Amino acid sequence: MKMRFALDIAEPHDRPIRHRAGAVLAGAGLRATRVPNSQPWRLPMHELADLVNVSFLDLAKVVTAHACGLRRTGLDELLFGPDHIQQSIDALTYAMHDRQIRREFGVLADGCRSEEAEALAVQERAVRDRLHEAERILKERRVSELTAAGVLPFPAASDDSRRLARAWLGRYLPEEKEALVCRLAAQAGVAPSAAVHIRSIPEKITRCIDNGWLAAPLTDTVRTLLELDGSAFQQRIIADAARQDTRDDALCHPLVLNRWRDQLTEALAGIAASAGNPHIRHLHDLTRASLPRSTAQIRQILGRRRLFAALLQRRTESIRLITALNDGMSLAERRDPSYALLKKAGDQAYDELVRRHPDLYQCIRTHLARYETRYGRLKLTVPKGQLRSEVFHDLDRMASARLDASARR
Protein backbone atom coordinates (compact mmCIF):
# COMPACT_ATOMS: atom_id res chain seq x y z
CA MET A 1 0.00 0.00 0.00
CA LYS A 2 1.03 3.59 -0.43
CA MET A 3 3.24 5.45 2.04
CA ARG A 4 1.43 7.22 4.85
CA PHE A 5 2.43 10.76 5.74
CA ALA A 6 2.57 12.31 9.18
CA LEU A 7 0.00 15.01 9.89
CA ASP A 8 -0.12 17.31 12.92
CA ILE A 9 -3.60 18.45 13.93
CA ALA A 10 -2.13 21.68 15.35
CA GLU A 11 -1.88 24.40 12.78
CA PRO A 12 1.52 25.43 11.37
CA HIS A 13 1.02 29.06 12.40
CA ASP A 14 0.15 27.99 15.98
CA ARG A 15 2.74 25.26 16.42
CA PRO A 16 5.93 26.10 18.34
CA ILE A 17 9.14 25.27 16.54
CA ARG A 18 10.62 21.99 17.74
CA HIS A 19 14.19 21.29 16.72
CA ARG A 20 14.56 17.57 16.19
CA ALA A 21 17.65 15.91 17.52
CA GLY A 22 19.69 14.30 14.77
CA ALA A 23 22.69 12.04 14.49
CA VAL A 24 25.82 12.99 16.44
CA LEU A 25 28.60 14.05 14.07
CA ALA A 26 32.33 13.54 14.48
CA GLY A 27 33.64 16.32 16.70
CA ALA A 28 32.91 17.57 20.17
CA GLY A 29 29.43 19.05 20.62
CA LEU A 30 28.36 18.74 16.97
CA ARG A 31 24.80 17.55 16.31
CA ALA A 32 22.73 17.60 13.12
CA THR A 33 19.27 19.19 13.42
CA ARG A 34 16.51 19.71 10.87
CA VAL A 35 15.71 23.41 10.54
CA PRO A 36 12.00 23.99 9.75
CA ASN A 37 11.48 25.47 6.28
CA SER A 38 8.76 28.09 6.02
CA GLN A 39 8.82 27.98 2.19
CA PRO A 40 9.73 24.41 1.20
CA TRP A 41 8.66 24.99 -2.42
CA ARG A 42 11.76 27.16 -2.89
CA LEU A 43 14.13 24.24 -2.23
CA PRO A 44 16.08 22.66 -5.10
CA MET A 45 13.88 20.04 -6.76
CA HIS A 46 15.88 17.03 -5.53
CA GLU A 47 15.69 18.30 -1.93
CA LEU A 48 11.99 19.05 -2.30
CA ALA A 49 11.36 15.53 -3.63
CA ASP A 50 13.03 14.07 -0.54
CA LEU A 51 11.19 16.42 1.82
CA VAL A 52 7.65 15.69 0.59
CA ASN A 53 8.34 11.97 1.05
CA VAL A 54 8.82 12.38 4.79
CA SER A 55 6.95 15.52 5.87
CA PHE A 56 3.20 15.77 5.37
CA LEU A 57 3.03 19.38 6.56
CA ASP A 58 5.69 20.46 4.09
CA LEU A 59 3.80 18.60 1.36
CA ALA A 60 0.61 20.44 2.41
CA LYS A 61 2.43 23.77 2.10
CA VAL A 62 3.71 22.90 -1.36
CA VAL A 63 0.36 21.67 -2.77
CA THR A 64 -1.33 24.78 -1.35
CA ALA A 65 1.24 27.06 -2.98
CA HIS A 66 0.82 25.14 -6.23
CA ALA A 67 -2.98 25.45 -6.06
CA CYS A 68 -2.60 29.20 -5.51
CA GLY A 69 -0.48 29.69 -8.62
CA LEU A 70 3.07 28.48 -7.93
CA ARG A 71 4.68 27.02 -11.06
CA ARG A 72 8.05 25.28 -11.29
CA THR A 73 9.50 22.94 -13.86
CA GLY A 74 8.93 19.38 -12.69
CA LEU A 75 6.60 20.33 -9.84
CA ASP A 76 3.42 19.01 -11.50
CA GLU A 77 5.02 15.61 -12.04
CA LEU A 78 6.43 15.53 -8.52
CA LEU A 79 3.10 16.32 -6.86
CA PHE A 80 0.65 14.59 -9.21
CA GLY A 81 2.68 11.87 -10.87
CA PRO A 82 1.68 8.24 -10.22
CA ASP A 83 3.98 7.98 -7.18
CA HIS A 84 2.63 11.00 -5.27
CA ILE A 85 -0.89 11.85 -6.42
CA GLN A 86 -2.57 9.91 -3.60
CA GLN A 87 -0.50 11.72 -0.97
CA SER A 88 -1.09 15.08 -2.66
CA ILE A 89 -4.85 14.51 -2.64
CA ASP A 90 -4.60 13.75 1.08
CA ALA A 91 -2.59 16.95 1.65
CA LEU A 92 -5.03 19.04 -0.41
CA THR A 93 -7.92 17.65 1.66
CA TYR A 94 -6.13 18.69 4.84
CA ALA A 95 -5.30 22.13 3.44
CA MET A 96 -8.90 22.72 2.30
CA HIS A 97 -10.28 21.88 5.76
CA ASP A 98 -7.55 23.96 7.41
CA ARG A 99 -8.40 27.09 5.41
CA GLN A 100 -12.12 26.63 5.99
CA ILE A 101 -11.83 26.25 9.77
CA ARG A 102 -9.40 29.18 10.08
CA ARG A 103 -11.73 31.31 7.95
CA GLU A 104 -14.71 30.30 10.07
CA PHE A 105 -12.92 31.35 13.25
CA GLY A 106 -12.02 34.73 11.76
CA VAL A 107 -15.59 35.40 10.63
CA LEU A 108 -17.32 34.12 13.78
CA ALA A 109 -14.88 35.65 16.25
CA ASP A 110 -14.70 39.07 14.58
CA GLY A 111 -18.32 39.13 13.46
CA CYS A 112 -17.32 40.28 9.98
CA ARG A 113 -15.13 39.23 7.09
CA SER A 114 -11.63 40.48 7.77
CA GLU A 115 -8.95 40.76 5.11
CA GLU A 116 -7.36 37.59 6.48
CA ALA A 117 -10.66 35.73 6.25
CA GLU A 118 -11.08 36.87 2.64
CA ALA A 119 -7.57 35.68 1.79
CA LEU A 120 -8.28 32.32 3.41
CA ALA A 121 -11.52 32.04 1.40
CA VAL A 122 -9.57 32.61 -1.83
CA GLN A 123 -7.03 29.95 -0.86
CA GLU A 124 -9.80 27.56 0.17
CA ARG A 125 -11.47 27.84 -3.25
CA ALA A 126 -8.17 27.40 -5.07
CA VAL A 127 -7.26 24.32 -3.03
CA ARG A 128 -10.74 22.83 -3.51
CA ASP A 129 -10.52 23.32 -7.28
CA ARG A 130 -7.06 21.73 -7.39
CA LEU A 131 -8.30 18.84 -5.24
CA HIS A 132 -11.16 18.14 -7.64
CA GLU A 133 -8.74 18.29 -10.57
CA ALA A 134 -6.35 15.84 -8.90
CA GLU A 135 -9.23 13.47 -8.13
CA ARG A 136 -10.25 13.64 -11.80
CA ILE A 137 -6.70 12.83 -12.92
CA LEU A 138 -6.52 9.88 -10.52
CA LYS A 139 -9.86 8.54 -11.79
CA GLU A 140 -8.79 8.86 -15.43
CA ARG A 141 -5.56 6.97 -14.74
CA ARG A 142 -7.46 4.26 -12.90
CA VAL A 143 -9.97 3.83 -15.71
CA SER A 144 -7.17 3.76 -18.28
CA GLU A 145 -5.24 1.07 -16.40
CA LEU A 146 -8.29 -1.11 -15.81
CA THR A 147 -9.40 -0.71 -19.41
CA ALA A 148 -5.97 -1.71 -20.72
CA ALA A 149 -6.09 -4.83 -18.52
CA GLY A 150 -9.57 -5.78 -19.74
CA VAL A 151 -11.27 -5.23 -16.39
CA LEU A 152 -13.26 -2.27 -17.75
CA PRO A 153 -15.74 -1.72 -19.16
CA PHE A 154 -17.79 -4.15 -17.11
CA PRO A 155 -19.88 -6.39 -19.35
CA ALA A 156 -23.49 -5.31 -19.62
CA ALA A 157 -26.05 -7.42 -17.79
CA SER A 158 -27.05 -10.28 -20.05
CA ASP A 159 -30.56 -10.32 -21.49
CA ASP A 160 -30.11 -13.97 -22.49
CA SER A 161 -32.58 -16.01 -20.44
CA ARG A 162 -30.49 -19.16 -20.95
CA ARG A 163 -27.39 -17.62 -19.39
CA LEU A 164 -29.41 -16.16 -16.53
CA ALA A 165 -31.07 -19.53 -15.87
CA ARG A 166 -27.65 -21.22 -15.72
CA ALA A 167 -26.37 -18.57 -13.32
CA TRP A 168 -29.38 -18.89 -11.04
CA LEU A 169 -29.12 -22.68 -11.04
CA GLY A 170 -25.50 -22.37 -9.89
CA ARG A 171 -26.56 -19.89 -7.22
CA TYR A 172 -29.28 -22.25 -6.04
CA LEU A 173 -26.84 -25.18 -5.83
CA PRO A 174 -23.67 -23.39 -4.60
CA GLU A 175 -21.94 -26.37 -2.91
CA GLU A 176 -22.38 -28.61 -5.93
CA LYS A 177 -21.24 -25.87 -8.29
CA GLU A 178 -18.14 -25.09 -6.18
CA ALA A 179 -17.21 -28.78 -6.04
CA LEU A 180 -17.52 -29.02 -9.83
CA VAL A 181 -15.38 -25.92 -10.36
CA CYS A 182 -12.68 -27.24 -8.03
CA ARG A 183 -12.63 -30.65 -9.74
CA LEU A 184 -12.58 -29.24 -13.26
CA ALA A 185 -9.96 -26.62 -12.33
CA ALA A 186 -7.74 -29.28 -10.73
CA GLN A 187 -8.00 -31.36 -13.92
CA ALA A 188 -6.83 -28.28 -15.85
CA GLY A 189 -3.80 -27.89 -13.55
CA VAL A 190 -5.01 -25.00 -11.36
CA ALA A 191 -3.59 -24.99 -7.82
CA PRO A 192 -6.21 -25.59 -5.07
CA SER A 193 -5.35 -22.25 -3.42
CA ALA A 194 -6.31 -20.38 -6.61
CA ALA A 195 -9.56 -22.32 -7.11
CA VAL A 196 -10.98 -21.83 -3.61
CA HIS A 197 -14.43 -20.25 -3.67
CA ILE A 198 -14.59 -16.71 -2.27
CA ARG A 199 -17.52 -15.90 0.02
CA SER A 200 -16.34 -12.63 1.58
CA ILE A 201 -13.90 -9.78 1.10
CA PRO A 202 -11.52 -11.02 3.86
CA GLU A 203 -11.39 -14.43 2.14
CA LYS A 204 -10.53 -12.75 -1.16
CA ILE A 205 -7.78 -10.69 0.46
CA THR A 206 -6.39 -13.75 2.26
CA ARG A 207 -6.32 -15.72 -1.00
CA CYS A 208 -4.46 -12.90 -2.75
CA ILE A 209 -1.92 -12.80 0.10
CA ASP A 210 -1.51 -16.60 0.11
CA ASN A 211 -1.04 -16.69 -3.67
CA GLY A 212 1.57 -13.92 -3.57
CA TRP A 213 -0.65 -11.51 -5.50
CA LEU A 214 -0.69 -9.05 -2.60
CA ALA A 215 2.22 -8.18 -0.30
CA ALA A 216 0.54 -7.58 3.07
CA PRO A 217 2.05 -9.68 5.87
CA LEU A 218 -0.23 -10.43 8.80
CA THR A 219 1.89 -9.04 11.65
CA ASP A 220 1.21 -9.30 15.39
CA THR A 221 0.14 -5.62 15.37
CA VAL A 222 -2.45 -6.31 12.69
CA ARG A 223 -3.70 -9.43 14.48
CA THR A 224 -4.13 -7.42 17.68
CA LEU A 225 -6.05 -4.76 15.79
CA LEU A 226 -8.35 -7.35 14.21
CA GLU A 227 -9.17 -8.76 17.65
CA LEU A 228 -10.28 -5.42 19.16
CA ASP A 229 -13.96 -5.04 20.01
CA GLY A 230 -15.98 -2.21 18.52
CA SER A 231 -15.42 0.26 21.34
CA ALA A 232 -11.66 -0.31 21.51
CA PHE A 233 -11.33 -0.12 17.73
CA GLN A 234 -13.20 3.18 17.60
CA GLN A 235 -10.99 4.62 20.34
CA ARG A 236 -8.00 3.57 18.24
CA ILE A 237 -9.21 5.35 15.11
CA ILE A 238 -10.12 8.52 17.01
CA ALA A 239 -6.71 8.54 18.66
CA ASP A 240 -5.13 8.09 15.24
CA ALA A 241 -7.09 11.03 13.79
CA ALA A 242 -6.27 13.28 16.76
CA ARG A 243 -2.58 12.34 16.70
CA GLN A 244 -1.91 12.84 13.04
CA ASP A 245 1.80 13.46 13.36
CA THR A 246 2.23 9.72 14.09
CA ARG A 247 -0.35 7.84 12.03
CA ASP A 248 -1.44 4.31 12.85
CA ASP A 249 -0.33 2.50 9.70
CA ALA A 250 -1.82 -0.83 10.84
CA LEU A 251 -5.23 0.66 9.98
CA CYS A 252 -4.18 0.58 6.32
CA HIS A 253 -3.73 -3.20 6.27
CA PRO A 254 -6.03 -4.72 3.61
CA LEU A 255 -7.79 -6.91 6.18
CA VAL A 256 -8.56 -3.85 8.34
CA LEU A 257 -9.54 -1.30 5.69
CA ASN A 258 -13.27 -2.03 5.45
CA ARG A 259 -13.74 -2.01 9.21
CA TRP A 260 -11.70 1.21 9.44
CA ARG A 261 -13.95 2.92 6.89
CA ASP A 262 -17.16 1.70 8.55
CA GLN A 263 -16.12 2.77 12.03
CA LEU A 264 -14.89 6.12 10.77
CA THR A 265 -18.43 6.65 9.50
CA GLU A 266 -19.79 5.73 12.94
CA ALA A 267 -17.34 8.08 14.64
CA LEU A 268 -18.30 10.92 12.29
CA ALA A 269 -21.98 10.38 13.05
CA GLY A 270 -21.23 10.49 16.77
CA ILE A 271 -19.29 13.75 16.66
CA ALA A 272 -21.21 15.62 13.92
CA ALA A 273 -23.66 17.43 16.21
CA SER A 274 -20.99 18.70 18.61
CA ALA A 275 -18.93 19.83 15.60
CA GLY A 276 -21.83 21.88 14.25
CA ASN A 277 -22.18 19.69 11.18
CA PRO A 278 -25.69 18.65 10.06
CA HIS A 279 -24.38 15.68 8.06
CA ILE A 280 -21.24 13.55 7.60
CA ARG A 281 -20.73 13.96 3.85
CA HIS A 282 -18.36 16.94 4.05
CA LEU A 283 -17.42 19.88 6.27
CA HIS A 284 -20.43 22.20 6.37
CA ASP A 285 -19.76 25.97 6.34
CA LEU A 286 -20.25 27.05 9.94
CA THR A 287 -20.49 30.75 9.03
CA ARG A 288 -23.95 30.13 7.60
CA ALA A 289 -25.25 29.44 11.11
CA SER A 290 -26.82 32.49 12.77
CA LEU A 291 -26.64 31.35 16.39
CA PRO A 292 -24.65 33.79 18.58
CA ARG A 293 -21.66 32.25 20.31
CA SER A 294 -19.00 33.51 22.67
CA THR A 295 -15.33 33.34 21.73
CA ALA A 296 -14.87 30.42 24.15
CA GLN A 297 -17.76 28.55 22.54
CA ILE A 298 -16.37 29.23 19.08
CA ARG A 299 -12.96 27.89 20.08
CA GLN A 300 -14.55 24.78 21.58
CA ILE A 301 -16.67 23.98 18.54
CA LEU A 302 -13.80 24.65 16.14
CA GLY A 303 -11.66 22.22 18.14
CA ARG A 304 -14.36 19.60 17.59
CA ARG A 305 -14.47 20.52 13.92
CA ARG A 306 -10.75 19.89 13.58
CA LEU A 307 -11.28 16.35 14.82
CA PHE A 308 -14.34 15.99 12.59
CA ALA A 309 -12.29 17.20 9.60
CA ALA A 310 -9.49 14.77 10.45
CA LEU A 311 -11.99 11.89 10.57
CA LEU A 312 -13.43 13.00 7.23
CA GLN A 313 -9.93 13.07 5.78
CA ARG A 314 -9.22 9.58 7.09
CA ARG A 315 -12.46 8.21 5.68
CA THR A 316 -11.66 9.68 2.27
CA GLU A 317 -8.23 8.04 2.48
CA SER A 318 -9.70 4.69 3.51
CA ILE A 319 -12.07 4.75 0.53
CA ARG A 320 -9.20 5.53 -1.85
CA LEU A 321 -7.17 2.68 -0.35
CA ILE A 322 -10.10 0.25 -0.64
CA THR A 323 -10.55 1.23 -4.28
CA ALA A 324 -6.84 0.78 -4.97
CA LEU A 325 -6.87 -2.58 -3.17
CA ASN A 326 -9.84 -3.88 -5.16
CA ASP A 327 -8.26 -2.71 -8.41
CA GLY A 328 -4.95 -4.32 -7.49
CA MET A 329 -6.55 -7.65 -6.66
CA SER A 330 -8.55 -7.63 -9.90
CA LEU A 331 -5.43 -6.88 -11.96
CA ALA A 332 -3.39 -9.54 -10.14
CA GLU A 333 -6.07 -12.19 -10.66
CA ARG A 334 -6.33 -11.45 -14.37
CA ARG A 335 -2.57 -11.59 -14.84
CA ASP A 336 -2.32 -14.99 -13.17
CA PRO A 337 -2.35 -17.95 -15.63
CA SER A 338 -5.08 -19.60 -13.54
CA TYR A 339 -7.61 -16.87 -14.41
CA ALA A 340 -8.53 -18.12 -17.89
CA LEU A 341 -8.52 -21.74 -16.71
CA LEU A 342 -10.89 -20.90 -13.85
CA LYS A 343 -13.24 -19.04 -16.19
CA LYS A 344 -13.38 -22.09 -18.44
CA ALA A 345 -13.92 -24.42 -15.48
CA GLY A 346 -16.79 -22.20 -14.31
CA ASP A 347 -18.53 -22.37 -17.69
CA GLN A 348 -18.10 -26.13 -17.75
CA ALA A 349 -19.52 -26.41 -14.21
CA TYR A 350 -22.68 -24.51 -15.19
CA ASP A 351 -23.13 -26.77 -18.23
CA GLU A 352 -22.76 -29.85 -16.01
CA LEU A 353 -25.34 -28.53 -13.54
CA VAL A 354 -27.85 -28.09 -16.37
CA ARG A 355 -27.15 -31.67 -17.50
CA ARG A 356 -27.58 -33.06 -13.97
CA HIS A 357 -30.69 -31.05 -13.07
CA PRO A 358 -32.75 -30.49 -16.22
CA ASP A 359 -36.01 -30.19 -14.24
CA LEU A 360 -34.65 -27.35 -12.06
CA TYR A 361 -33.21 -25.60 -15.09
CA GLN A 362 -36.49 -25.89 -16.95
CA CYS A 363 -38.40 -24.51 -13.95
CA ILE A 364 -36.21 -21.41 -13.99
CA ARG A 365 -36.67 -21.04 -17.76
CA THR A 366 -40.44 -21.30 -17.34
CA HIS A 367 -40.44 -18.44 -14.84
CA LEU A 368 -38.30 -16.33 -17.16
CA ALA A 369 -40.32 -17.13 -20.27
CA ARG A 370 -43.08 -14.67 -19.36
CA TYR A 371 -40.52 -11.83 -19.61
CA GLU A 372 -39.03 -12.86 -22.96
CA THR A 373 -39.53 -10.48 -25.87
CA ARG A 374 -38.42 -13.29 -28.16
CA TYR A 375 -36.83 -16.66 -27.58
CA GLY A 376 -33.86 -16.32 -25.24
CA ARG A 377 -34.16 -12.54 -24.82
CA LEU A 378 -35.37 -10.94 -21.59
CA LYS A 379 -36.98 -7.65 -20.65
CA LEU A 380 -37.69 -7.85 -16.90
CA THR A 381 -40.51 -5.67 -15.57
CA VAL A 382 -39.92 -6.62 -11.90
CA PRO A 383 -36.77 -6.30 -9.78
CA LYS A 384 -34.39 -9.15 -10.53
CA GLY A 385 -33.89 -9.96 -6.84
CA GLN A 386 -37.63 -10.28 -6.29
CA LEU A 387 -38.03 -12.60 -9.27
CA ARG A 388 -35.07 -14.71 -8.16
CA SER A 389 -36.62 -15.15 -4.71
CA GLU A 390 -39.88 -16.35 -6.31
CA VAL A 391 -37.97 -18.80 -8.50
CA PHE A 392 -35.95 -20.20 -5.58
CA HIS A 393 -39.14 -20.60 -3.55
CA ASP A 394 -40.58 -22.70 -6.39
CA LEU A 395 -37.38 -24.76 -6.60
CA ASP A 396 -37.60 -25.39 -2.83
CA ARG A 397 -41.14 -26.71 -3.27
CA MET A 398 -39.97 -29.00 -6.06
CA ALA A 399 -37.15 -30.34 -3.87
CA SER A 400 -39.55 -30.86 -0.96
CA ALA A 401 -42.04 -32.73 -3.15
CA ARG A 402 -39.24 -34.90 -4.45
CA LEU A 403 -38.16 -35.80 -0.89
CA ASP A 404 -41.77 -36.64 0.06
CA ALA A 405 -42.12 -38.92 -2.96
CA SER A 406 -38.86 -40.70 -2.08
CA ALA A 407 -40.01 -41.17 1.53
CA ARG A 408 -43.33 -42.74 0.40
CA ARG A 409 -41.49 -45.30 -1.65
Side-chain angles (χ1 to χ4, degrees):
M1 306 303 289
K2 71 179 184 67
M3 180 186 297
R4 295 285 300 270
F5 285 93
L7 176 59
D8 193 336
I9 199 167
E11 294 309 310
H13 61 286
D14 294 332
R15 185 184 305 107
I17 295 176
R18 302 186 188 98
H19 294 283
R20 299 182 182 179
V24 177
L25 303 179
L30 294 179
R31 182 176 293 274
T33 59
R34 177 174 176 252
V35 178
N37 197 311
S38 60
Q39 296 182 324
W41 55 86
R42 295 184 180 275
L43 293 172
M45 191 58 69
H46 68 280
E47 292 184 24
L48 181 58
D50 289 339
L51 183 62
V52 298
N53 276 324
V54 298
S55 172
F56 180 88
L57 288 174
D58 284 320
L59 173 62
K61 292 177 185 178
V62 176
V63 295
T64 301
H66 182 270
C68 294
L70 172 69
R71 294 295 178 266
R72 280 185 63 180
T73 301
L75 189 58
D76 276 15
E77 180 61 26
L78 172 63
L79 298 179
F80 302 105
D83 293 337
H84 284 100
I85 188 167
Q86 297 259 16
Q87 294 92 323
S88 292
I89 287 174
D90 195 33
L92 284 165
T93 305
Y94 164 79
M96 179 181 66
H97 291 158
D98 165 56
R99 268 53 183 183
Q100 178 176 339
I101 293 172
R102 288 165 57 189
R103 172 180 59 81
E104 289 171 346
F105 180 77
V107 172
L108 294 173
D110 298 340
C112 63
R113 286 190 173 273
S114 63
E115 291 183 4
E116 182 181 359
E118 291 290 353
L120 288 168
V122 170
Q123 291 182 15
E124 181 187 338
R125 288 192 294 269
V127 170
R128 180 179 286 108
D129 290 344
R130 194 65 189 93
L131 172 61
H132 292 164
E133 176 67 12
E135 290 173 335
R136 183 190 62 78
I137 293 171
L138 181 63
K139 181 178 180 179
E140 288 178 354
R141 288 177 183 167
R142 174 179 176 250
V143 170
S144 177
E145 183 179 14
L146 294 177
T147 301
V151 178
L152 291 179
F154 293 125
S158 175
D159 64 347
D160 188 331
S161 58
R162 294 160 294 188
R163 291 189 62 83
L164 185 59
R166 289 167 76 246
W168 283 7
L169 181 59
R171 188 163 178 168
Y172 183 71
L173 302 169
E175 292 83 5
E176 188 174 353
K177 187 204 76 173
E178 292 164 21
L180 281 170
V181 171
C182 288
R183 177 170 64 80
L184 293 167
Q187 292 173 357
V190 177
S193 61
V196 64
H197 181 69
I198 301 302
R199 293 180 175 83
S200 65
I201 292 174
E203 286 184 1
K204 182 175 183 178
I205 294 170
T206 300
R207 184 184 70 164
C208 287
I209 293 173
D210 292 344
N211 290 339
W213 299 340
L214 180 65
L218 191 59
T219 64
D220 291 340
T221 302
V222 174
R223 289 191 183 92
T224 300
L225 193 57
L226 290 170
E227 292 170 359
L228 293 178
D229 61 24
S231 176
F233 191 90
Q234 189 156 107
Q235 289 176 12
R236 181 94 171 239
I237 67 173
I238 291 175
D240 170 65
R243 190 189 61 242
Q244 295 194 45
D245 53 338
T246 53
R247 293 195 185 185
D248 191 346
D249 287 338
L251 293 168
C252 290
H253 192 278
L255 289 171
V256 182
L257 278 175
N258 283 281
R259 186 183 184 189
W260 185 33
R261 176 204 58 201
D262 294 343
Q263 294 213 221
L264 280 167
T265 299
E266 289 184 21
L268 284 165
I271 196 178
S274 63
N277 230 65
H279 52 71
I280 61 172
R281 296 186 301 275
H282 56 78
L283 197 61
H284 179 73
D285 190 347
L286 196 62
T287 61
R288 296 176 183 176
S290 58
L291 294 176
R293 295 185 178 93
S294 67
T295 301
Q297 289 174 319
I298 292 171
R299 289 186 182 278
Q300 182 179 23
I301 197 172
L302 290 181
R304 299 295 287 173
R305 286 174 71 74
R306 287 209 176 279
L307 178 57
F308 186 83
L311 291 169
L312 278 175
Q313 183 183 340
R314 291 291 200 278
R315 187 177 63 172
T316 302
E317 180 188 20
S318 70
I319 292 171
R320 282 198 307 271
L321 289 174
I322 290 170
T323 301
L325 172 64
N326 291 333
D327 291 348
M329 290 191 295
S330 296
L331 292 171
E333 287 174 337
R334 283 181 172 266
R335 290 166 183 159
D336 193 84
S338 66
Y339 179 79
L341 297 175
L342 280 171
K343 292 284 287 184
K344 184 177 180 181
D347 287 338
Q348 292 172 339
Y350 284 119
D351 290 339
E352 179 62 16
L353 284 177
V354 172
R355 189 190 67 78
R356 290 183 181 183
H357 306 281
D359 54 337
L360 301 181
Y361 174 75
Q362 191 56 49
C363 176
I364 300 174
R365 289 294 307 277
T366 300
H367 276 273
L368 295 176
R370 71 190 74 165
Y371 301 102
E372 289 180 345
T373 56
R374 60 186 176 87
Y375 182 73
R377 287 292 176 265
L378 285 171
K379 187 174 182 181
L380 296 180
T381 56
V382 296
K384 186 178 288 187
Q386 175 185 326
L387 179 58
R388 186 174 60 243
S389 296
E390 294 174 4
V391 171
F392 283 11
H393 180 68
D394 208 8
L395 295 179
D396 287 340
R397 283 191 297 161
M398 289 178 61
S400 179
R402 189 180 304 155
L403 287 173
D404 291 343
S406 299
R408 285 195 295 270
R409 294 194 195 113

